[in-house]
Amino acid sequence: MSEPSELSERTPTTTDFWFDPVCPWAWIASRWMHEVERQRPVVVRWHVMSLAVLNEGRELPRKYREVIDHAWGPVRVCVAAGQKYGPGILGRLYTELGNRFHHDKAPRDRATVAAALAAAGLDAGLADAMDSTDHDAALRESHRDGMDRVGYDVGTPVIAVDGTAFFGPVVTPVPRGEAAARLWDGVLLVTGTDGFYELKRTRDRGPSFD
């Protein structure tokens, strides 16, 4: 394990992370945060946002629209599970969903979601929430909480550290070990810089889950 820098010696640093379980970039960033937790004194609190809510009323390419139309179900189940068991279970459920969606390339259907729930030790019957609007108010509230911090011209992931929130990081593949720790130290640096908004370049490769 690497030695923490002066930037990371505030113990512990609470980080809020908003995700949509169908987003591959959020998935990579979430695995990076798990690496950071091994390298630095960090506690992650998981929250849901929704690409379906974010893109309501927007004109989208057909291929992306098909993805968005199927994004409602998994995130609704996350909200239902969080309401039944408490928000502390979101990280565990997200891991089970993400492994199936992004690594196994399993269909984002009821059977896959039910299997993820069962593997997380939760009621597989919560998969019924995929087709229900009962939890949409809570979903929109969580979504709004994250997006209001960064604006609505971005997506997922959103992370908030020490009162400052950013979209990202968008990175591939998952930084591991010391590389994960160095990126985290950089995040702490920019969140502590008053007036810092953006550092960006065009993506030239897709998400890698290796």
Side-chain angles (χ1 to χ4, degrees), residues 37-49:
E37 286 184 304
R38 298 185 183 99
Q39 300 287 329
R40 295 290 189 259
V42 172
V43 175
V44 181
R45 296 186 300 200
W46 303 95
H47 311 267
V48 296
M49 61 85 66

Side-chain angles (χ1 to χ4, degrees), residues 144-179:
R144 185 167 52 251
D145 183 30
M147 301 308 296
D148 280 353
R149 301 168 189 245
V150 292
Y152 286 75
D153 58 341
V154 298
T156 180
V158 169
I159 62 171
V161 185
D162 291 339
T164 301
F166 285 103
F167 162 62
V170 176
V171 60
T172 191
V174 180
R176 304 286 185 184
E178 178 62 24

